[in-house]
Amino acid sequence: MKRILADVTAFGRQYLRSRVGTFFALAFPVILILLFGAIFSSSGTPRVSLAVQDMDRTDASRGFVQALNNTTLISYQAIPPTASFQEYMRANAINVALQIPTGFQATIVRAEMGNASARVNVTLAGDPTQSSFGIAYSAVAAVANAFNLKIANATGVVSVGETPFTVQQFGYIDFFLPGIIGFTILTTPMFGMTSICAEYRTRRFFKLLATTKLSKAEWLAAKVVFYVLLLFLSVAIMMLVGIGVFGMKARLTPVAVLLIIAGAFEFTSLGMVLGIFVRDPGTGEALANAIGFPMMFLAGSFFPIDSMPSFLQTIARALPLTYINEGLRATMVLANDGTAVTYLLVTLGFAVVFFVVGARGLSWKSK
Amino acid sequence: MRPCDVAPPRVVAVDEHVIEVRGLVKRYPDITAVDGIDFDVSRGQVFSLLGPNGAGKTTTVEILEGLRDPTAGEARVLGQDVRSGYRRIRERVGVLPQDFEPFDRLRPREAVTYWARLFDHDVSEEAVASIIETVGLSNRADTFALNLSGGEKRRLGIAMALVGQPDLLFLDEPTTGLDPGARRELWTLIGDLKRKGRTILLTTHYLDEAEQLADDVAIMNHGKIVAHGSPSALISQFGGGTTIVLAGAGRGGSEALMARGIAAELHGADLFVHVPMAGQVRPMLAKLASIEIPLSEIYTKRSTLEDVFLKLVGARMEEGVLAA
């Protein structure tokens, strides 16, 4: 135990004296919280800028635009009716634009007079892969539907009411925080350990350590202890920023604390497993990136897994980070400790396997 | 657990062999790095493995440190077999590996404390200060290792090797890559450790270093020990006695000596006359003085390990590389 504490102390001193390490462990997650928090937390729903070319310039077309504005999803800007629609979009770098054709009001009037074949199309142009396009499409479709109901003299029968799914009224930042904690649990120990293994091998520190009484398992345990402490410091700072700046309501639960410890154990060990294959800092970085980057996106740190195609969801279920992200969300946001404990056990299982493989596979001795 | 500064004395016979190596072999698919070597190192001795890069010195040392497994043969360190007893061995040896680099962001004081704790030694601040003083780093004890000079870093490595009062020190090429001043300073430090009775296994490719520091030298080449003995014994056996140098005598001088039946080697403008026996030096000097030869200077040169190496290996060695 004394050897482990000695290694934690010496390693910690070196780590915290390195500005790069400190930045990535402590400052980078805070920057992410501030960045994403500022983007998504300022209002409950995002607002999309929509350019509209009203070719009809009638009461009906102006009413359509006014209805769009009233959705609060749309920030309206006009395209001159004389401009070429597509050219104007290109010249002004407009992402989403709506064109209301000439004859819009006349068609509505014909429909109201009982002409069953009256039809008019409004055109929405833009990049369908952008989320802003989807938001604009939903808003335009909703307004068009309302117009159709009005023309048909009908009223909506089915409506949607809101009831909070969570125990408290959480904001976006509360849902985002577990993902950022998961992201930090992945990157700080795993990228750190891979680069440490590369450095220790090229600078012969492993050989030097092999001449002492410190075992590989003790060395790895020391790194786990250090990264647990570092991650708690990092999470504490993130939570202070989240609470202080964005009024975040999510709090660390006992299960979340255990998940952070298990996650640090898991990804420190995985870093050492990767270290088995690393010969120099260049390959270490490449290997950590190759494993880490797909995992952080596929495991639901930033995007919900349910929104992914089914084959990606299958892959996500095989990734260790998924269980940390989902477990943290379950306990911190949804107050579902039962699910979180299940994910905690899965995480511990991964951790033990990685620890054993890392401690046995990494060789300090020469061939 | 024992305090670093009050290590109990160990009862060891004076002639005890701290290291015993018999028929040691280390074979790789493409090369035999160590090819059946034998040697012993006695307590209190500085034993040097001398040879060019690739001779098998570091492989031998790393087998003795328990960092590599031998292919065949036997090696015992402090009475323990290196295959089965390396855990016990590492508790009693100090190691300065080849190309030692310290942890950049630790200060010497912190590094020595850390290292002592990895050996389960409870070290007092005074004990750490004493070790740092031994290696002459007291005024740099609180400087990040990153900012130490090459020689200071090696001193720090020796300080780390000294924690726990080891019975045996392995110093693997401790002065390689250092400037002449730093090398001399390390020689002084190693000399001090020797005077304090430390047993040291020193590998080097510097002939003068081995001659200066070692009680016993094993010259290695291509994985074999080609000669073994004290520097003076090796010099008297293989060095060819004394050389009389006739500086500036040139080809004319060479012809004049040949006419008198005196063998000489021409090296540039200088003539070398080898005198195998010490008793023959005076008569030869008198004989040479009687011959009219234009020269700028005449002096005698005692053979060195360099001459021994040249004779045994057939090439000179410069910075660990055999010169053609």
Side-chain angles (χ1 to χ4, degrees):
Chain A
M1 193 61 188
K2 279 188 174 180
R3 293 195 289 267
I4 293 175
L5 289 178
D7 197 63
V8 170
T9 308
F11 182 74
R13 277 184 171 140
Q14 294 176 81
Y15 192 97
L16 296 175
R17 285 168 182 168
S18 153
R19 287 180 192 147
V20 176
T22 313
F23 173 79
F24 276 102
L26 303 179
F28 189 59
V30 170
I31 291 171
L32 279 180
I33 287 268
L34 288 172
L35 196 66
F36 283 89
I39 291 170
F40 295 111
S41 292
S42 54
S43 65
T45 46
R47 205 168 162 81
V48 170
S49 174
L50 178 70
V52 180
Q53 187 176 41
D54 183 359
M55 305 293 285
D56 200 45
R57 284 177 287 168
T58 56
D59 288 345
S61 64
R62 278 190 286 273
F64 193 90
V65 174
Q66 185 57 47
L68 279 173
N69 251 338
N70 290 345
T71 62
T72 71
L73 291 172
I74 299 300
S75 158
Y76 164 76
Q77 102 183 64
I79 299 177
T82 51
S84 159
F85 184 59
Q86 303 261 349
E87 285 294 320
Y88 190 91
M89 278 185 77
R90 261 194 291 277
N92 293 279
I94 291 171
N95 289 325
V96 199
L98 177 73
Q99 190 181 49
I100 302 174
T102 310
F104 179 78
Q105 180 170 277
T107 307
I108 289 172
V109 169
R110 279 206 312 279
E112 282 175 335
M113 301 286 287
N115 185 341
S117 63
R119 294 280 184 279
V120 64
N121 280 322
V122 292
T123 306
L124 189 69
D127 179 354
T129 63
Q130 298 285 318
S131 59
S132 56
F133 184 88
I135 293 167
Y137 184 88
S138 303
V140 170
V143 169
N145 192 40
F147 263 64
N148 288 333
L149 285 171
K150 190 162 181 264
I151 292 164
N153 260 335
T155 52
V157 175
V158 179
S159 63
V160 181
E162 281 188 45
T163 301
F165 177 54
T166 51
V167 174
Q168 296 183 54
Q169 185 63 50
F170 287 113
Y172 175 84
I173 192 74
D174 297 292
F175 288 91
F176 182 64
L177 180 81
I180 287 293
I181 294 176
F183 163 81
T184 311
I185 290 172
L186 164 75
T187 53
T188 304
M190 194 188 81
F191 281 62
M193 280 300 287
T194 315
S195 109
I196 287 161
C197 286
E199 185 192 3
Y200 273 45
R201 182 164 282 130
T202 51
R203 299 185 69 188
R204 304 183 195 216
F205 290 157
F206 280 144
K207 265 192 184 176
L208 199 59
L209 286 169
T211 67
T212 71
K213 291 175 77 175
L214 186 77
S215 69
K216 282 185 291 178
E218 287 172 331
W219 183 77
L220 183 51
K223 301 296 167 286
V224 171
V225 171
F226 172 76
Y227 279 116
V228 165
L229 297 174
L230 186 69
L231 284 171
F232 274 121
L233 184 60
S234 180
V235 169
I237 294 171
M238 281 191 269
M239 297 215 52
L240 284 175
V241 171
I243 292 166
V245 179
F246 302 110
M248 191 180 75
K249 296 181 187 69
R251 295 289 184 270
L252 276 184
T253 62
V255 181
V257 169
L258 292 175
L259 265 164
I260 292 170
I261 294 171
F265 178 25
E266 178 182 39
F267 283 105
T268 307
S269 304
L270 179 59
M272 187 151 161
V273 172
L274 298 181
I276 295 169
F277 307 100
V278 166
R279 291 286 165 268
D280 57 73
T283 54
E285 204 173 304
L287 190 60
N289 285 338
I291 304 281
F293 275 102
M295 196 177 335
M296 75 177 72
F297 290 110
L298 289 175
S301 291
F302 304 112
F303 315 110
I305 292 171
D306 294 343
S307 67
M308 296 176 189
S310 63
F311 77 97
L312 284 181
Q313 290 189 34
T314 307
I315 294 172
R317 295 290 162 210
L319 299 174
L321 182 61
T322 300
Y323 298 95
I324 295 175
N325 285 335
E326 298 293 298
L328 287 173
R329 278 199 187 98
T331 182
M332 290 176 72
V333 182
L334 308 175
N336 182 354
D337 278 356
T339 301
V341 167
T342 305
Y343 290 161
L344 170 66
L345 293 175
V346 174
T347 301
L348 279 172
F350 271 117
V352 169
V353 171
F354 291 150
F355 186 91
V356 171
V357 173
R360 292 181 73 92
L362 189 73
S363 175
W364 284 1
K365 293 171 75 172
S366 304
K367 291 275 164 66
Chain B
M1 214 171 302
R2 58 192 177 163
C4 178
D5 47 346
V6 285
R10 296 187 179 100
V11 181
V12 184
V14 174
D15 289 333
E16 180 198 19
H17 287 153
V18 176
I19 298 175
E20 296 165 291
V21 174
R22 297 287 176 272
L24 193 67
V25 175
K26 181 65 186 179
R27 201 172 289 124
Y28 294 103
D30 54 341
I31 193 171
T32 300
V34 179
D35 194 1
I37 62 173
D38 305 85
F39 66 88
D40 296 322
V41 177
S42 300
R43 182 172 167 74
Q45 194 180 40
V46 175
F47 184 94
S48 177
L49 285 174
L50 172 68
N53 297 338
K57 310 184 297 292
T58 295
T59 305
T60 303
V61 167
E62 289 187 351
I63 289 171
L64 298 175
E65 291 165 351
L67 296 177
R68 288 179 197 264
D69 294 323
T71 309
E74 275 186 34
R76 299 181 78 78
V77 174
L78 299 162
Q80 303 290 335
D81 184 276
V82 292
R83 288 184 182 87
S84 57
Y86 69 90
R87 284 183 203 281
R88 285 184 292 277
I89 291 170
R90 71 177 56 159
E91 291 174 22
R92 295 176 57 192
V93 303
V95 174
L96 176 75
Q98 191 180 37
D99 299 327
F100 166 80
E101 285 192 64
F103 298 98
D104 288 342
R105 290 183 179 80
L106 284 186
R107 302 176 171 101
R109 198 186 301 280
E110 295 165 344
V112 170
T113 307
Y114 168 47
W115 218 241
R117 287 180 181 156
L118 294 189
F119 286 91
D120 294 338
H121 299 310
D122 284 330
V123 277
S124 62
E125 283 183 21
E126 293 74 26
V128 171
S130 165
I131 291 172
I132 288 174
E133 190 184 353
T134 301
V135 299
L137 275 182
S138 295
N139 60 343
R140 305 284 275 163
D142 294 309
T143 306
F144 284 143
L146 187 70
N147 299 321
L148 298 178
S149 70
E152 288 170 337
K153 286 177 181 172
R154 301 289 167 86
R155 286 163 178 274
L156 173 56
I158 293 176
M160 288 161 68
L162 284 172
V163 298
Q165 312 270 2
D167 292 318
L168 171 64
L169 270 180
F170 289 104
L171 305 181
D172 193 0
E173 306 210 358
T175 64
T176 297
L178 299 183
D179 61 70
R183 279 184 64 207
R184 293 272 168 193
E185 284 173 9
L186 268 185
W187 287 5
T188 306
L189 170 59
I190 295 167
D192 288 345
L193 295 173
K194 175 182 171 180
R195 274 187 289 283
K196 287 175 184 168
R198 296 264 178 223
T199 310
I200 299 172
L201 177 60
L202 169 81
T203 75
T204 183
H205 55 242
Y206 294 119
L207 296 148
D208 52 350
E209 186 165 293
E211 192 171 339
Q212 177 90 14
L213 297 173
D215 300 305
D216 224 352
V217 176
I219 298 177
M220 284 191 81
N221 195 30
H222 298 305
K224 292 179 183 294
I225 291 178
V226 294
H228 176 200
S230 69
S232 58
L234 289 172
I235 288 165
S236 64
Q237 187 178 351
F238 301 105
T242 303
T243 301
I244 300 170
V245 181
L246 306 173
R251 191 165 296 282
S254 174
E255 287 165 2
L257 293 189
M258 276 175 64
R260 302 291 184 94
I262 301 171
E265 285 175 23
L266 188 62
H267 291 267
D270 299 340
L271 271 182
F272 285 14
V273 178
H274 297 292
V275 184
M277 308 295 287
Q280 294 169 338
V281 174
R282 266 173 183 276
M284 180 57 80
L285 279 169
K287 198 170 179 181
L288 291 170
S290 67
I291 305 169
E292 281 293 321
I293 306 172
L295 49 82
S296 58
E297 191 183 359
I298 183 167
Y299 58 90
T300 60
K301 189 165 80 84
R302 189 178 153 269
S303 287
T304 63
L305 274 184
E306 194 172 347
D307 301 303
V308 174
F309 190 86
L310 178 62
K311 182 164 184 179
L312 291 170
V313 178
R316 291 190 185 280
M317 186 163 57
E318 288 166 12
E319 285 298 325
V321 178
L322 293 180

